[in-house]
Amino acid sequence: MRSKDHEVKLVEEYSLWHGRVSGGEAVSTSLREPWHLTVARLLPDLHGQRILEIGCGRGDFAIHLANQYPGARISAVDFSPAAIELARSKAARSGTIVDFAADNAESLSFENCSFDFAWSTSLSRFVWQRKFIGFCGREENLS
């Protein structure tokens, strides 16, 4: 089991990493990452839907979805406040509306059934397996 101090250290390291790799990162209107391309291809029509992306990083996929489905309400969370600030900046520069927030995927602050669709394209690499199994059950309850 991870301690609170360990979690704080992880958030700090991840936030520093985002700061290093983002250096002047441009807002992109097209997807580059293979996991984003795969998920985008599999999604149904999201117009008018409430969407949650968990583990959004610097916001590329959420911004893409907001541009593709302007009638959808897109929320995106990441546990790194630095990543969220970078995502908000990108969204503002592109004129895109996404509700970005720092939140913990292992204990999300949203009410159950708050979203029509919820997913994460890469979170299972970072959340402990036992926690992720429980999280997947919660994700099913969000729709």
Side-chain angles (χ1 to χ4, degrees):
M1 179 182 260
R2 292 180 292 183
S3 70
K4 189 68 173 169
D5 289 340
H6 181 71
E7 287 181 21
V8 169
K9 185 176 178 182
L10 284 176
V11 170
E12 289 172 356
E13 288 175 4
Y14 188 59
S15 292
L16 288 172
W17 175 81
H18 275 294
R20 284 192 307 270
V21 299
S22 69
E25 193 173 54
V27 177
S28 176
T29 57
S30 61
L31 297 175
R32 296 180 310 269
E33 304 295 347
W35 48 89
H36 291 159
L37 293 165
T38 300
V39 172
R41 189 176 64 246
L42 296 172
L43 290 174
D45 182 354
L46 298 175
H47 283 48
Q49 303 296 311
R50 298 165 300 162
I51 310 303
L52 175 63
E53 182 185 11
I54 306 160
C56 68
R58 295 182 305 278
D60 294 323
F61 193 61
I63 291 169
H64 169 79
L65 290 177
N67 286 319
Q68 291 294 113
Y69 303 101
R73 186 172 152 215
I74 311 288
S75 297
V77 299
D78 196 276
F79 81 133
S80 166
I84 293 301
E85 286 307 311
L86 291 164
R88 286 178 178 151
S89 175
K90 280 186 185 180
R93 290 192 322 261
S94 70
T96 306
I97 297 173
V98 176
D99 180 23
F100 287 107
D103 206 349
N104 184 339
E106 294 179 350
S107 59
L108 291 169
S109 60
F110 300 102
E111 295 289 324
N112 282 343
C113 303
S114 296
F115 299 94
D116 300 305
F117 293 94
W119 63 77
S120 174
T121 58
S122 62
L123 188 66
S124 62
R125 294 181 293 170
F126 305 108
V127 177
W128 287 37
Q129 184 176 8
R130 186 174 41 198
K131 290 278 190 176
F132 188 70
I133 291 168
F135 165 77
C136 288
R138 177 153 184 216
E139 180 177 350
E140 292 171 8
N141 291 333
L142 290 173
S143 60

